[in-house]
Amino acid sequence: MSWRYQLTHEVLHGEDEYAIREVYLDGGTVTGWTKNPVRVVGDSEAEIAETLMRMRSDVKRGGVLEIPCHECDGPVRETTNLVCRRCGSDFEGEGR
């Protein structure tokens, strides 16, 4: 299993939100992602710069991962007014 940074999209409180998360891959297929977007922290300016360069590289080649509904895996594009149209689950902003 490997991982990379990935630009993600989801709808929170009725608003589009794009963020960077770590995604986990098995044979090139995304099998999971971090609940929350990643923070950039490090022990030095150089470490922060290196992390940002890796993020930029990964995001440029990875496209956008749509984060689905946490209840039914329905596509984000099928959600409005904090409710998934497929399963009726409401969104309170918790991680999915």
Side-chain angles (χ1 to χ4, degrees):
M1 185 180 303
S2 61
W3 71 275
R4 70 171 184 249
Y5 293 111
Q6 178 81 44
L7 185 61
T8 61
H9 171 260
E10 64 184 322
V11 176
L12 294 173
H13 303 291
E15 300 290 326
D16 288 317
E17 181 174 286
Y18 290 86
I20 296 174
R21 287 182 166 79
E22 292 176 3
V23 297
Y24 305 98
L25 305 134
D26 187 10
T29 301
V30 174
T31 59
W33 51 85
T34 54
K35 177 179 178 180
N36 297 311
V38 296
R39 296 181 334 137
V40 179
V41 295
D43 295 329
S44 66
E45 290 178 37
E47 187 175 354
I48 295 292
E50 183 178 319
T51 299
L52 290 171
M53 288 189 325
R54 180 169 181 185
M55 285 179 162
R56 182 173 186 241
S57 175
D58 287 355
V59 165
K60 284 176 75 173
R61 67 184 166 99
V64 178
L65 174 67
E66 295 288 339
I67 303 294
C69 170
H70 66 287
E71 292 294 326
C72 73
D73 289 332
V76 171
R77 296 291 185 204
E78 292 186 12
T79 61
T80 59
N81 300 328
L82 306 180
V83 176
C84 177
R85 289 185 189 159
R86 183 180 292 173
C87 73
S89 174
D90 59 357
F91 295 89
E92 298 296 329
E94 72 273 5
R96 304 193 243 306

